[in-house]
Amino acid sequence: MVENNLFKNGDWVQGKSRDGELIHGFVETVSDNREIVKVNVVESDNEKAVGKSIWIPSKWTEKLPDLEISNEAHLLALIDLALLSKDETWFMELSGKLESIKIHPKITARKSEVQIQGNRIAKLDFK
């Protein structure tokens, strides 16, 4: 992995745990010396690691690029995730983006673009 010591809380990262497990998640905490980060694991090849927070050296992780989401349905799904994770800062950021889209819509999404079954956390079918 490429060394990247510019992590901050909330950054999405991928990397390897000390046991060699592939992980994908977001940074919860960065150590004072910036050499290790605490990552909340969202995906991993070890299912037992998913949902847990682990400390790993920052040189074993790589920051993922930020995605610009401008689709209302996607923002609603992310808002639900922010509520489930009790991340008030992320919730406020996403709510602001949603409000901005409603005030200044660029392109009206067709209903067929995203099909949401059940609640907004359910499986999304992106076309």
Side-chain angles (χ1 to χ4, degrees):
M1 299 277 156
V2 177
E3 187 168 344
N4 182 349
N5 291 326
L6 304 175
F7 297 112
K8 58 183 188 257
N9 293 355
D11 284 345
W12 285 91
V13 296
Q14 65 183 14
K16 289 188 178 184
S17 71
R18 67 175 164 254
D19 298 325
E21 304 160 341
L22 298 174
I23 61 148
H24 177 212
F26 58 91
V27 175
E28 287 186 340
T29 307
V30 179
S31 68
D32 290 336
N33 62 7
R34 308 193 69 69
E35 291 182 9
I36 58 174
V37 292
K38 185 177 185 182
V39 177
N40 184 302
V41 179
V42 175
E43 284 185 282
S44 175
D45 52 358
N46 176 7
E47 291 182 19
K48 293 180 181 179
V50 174
K52 296 187 176 164
S53 297
I54 60 171
W55 286 96
I56 56 176
S58 58
K59 64 183 176 184
W60 292 358
T61 60
E62 181 179 8
K63 183 177 175 181
L64 297 173
D66 293 333
L67 298 175
E68 186 60 38
I69 299 186
S70 59
N71 181 301
E72 185 175 342
H74 295 169
L75 280 170
L76 289 170
L78 290 173
I79 287 171
D80 283 345
L81 185 58
L83 288 169
L84 287 171
S85 64
K86 298 180 177 145
D87 188 333
E88 183 179 354
T89 304
W90 190 30
F91 170 80
M92 296 304 290
E93 177 185 334
L94 293 169
S95 296
K97 285 182 181 181
L98 181 62
E99 188 64 28
S100 175
I101 286 173
K102 288 182 176 183
I103 292 172
H104 305 289
K106 293 178 184 174
I107 299 173
T108 305
R110 295 185 319 261
K111 288 185 179 181
S112 62
E113 286 182 341
V114 176
Q115 297 174 357
I116 301 175
Q117 299 172 0
N119 62 33
R120 292 189 304 253
I121 300 295
K123 295 180 182 179
L124 298 175
D125 180 21
F126 299 105
K127 293 183 179 178

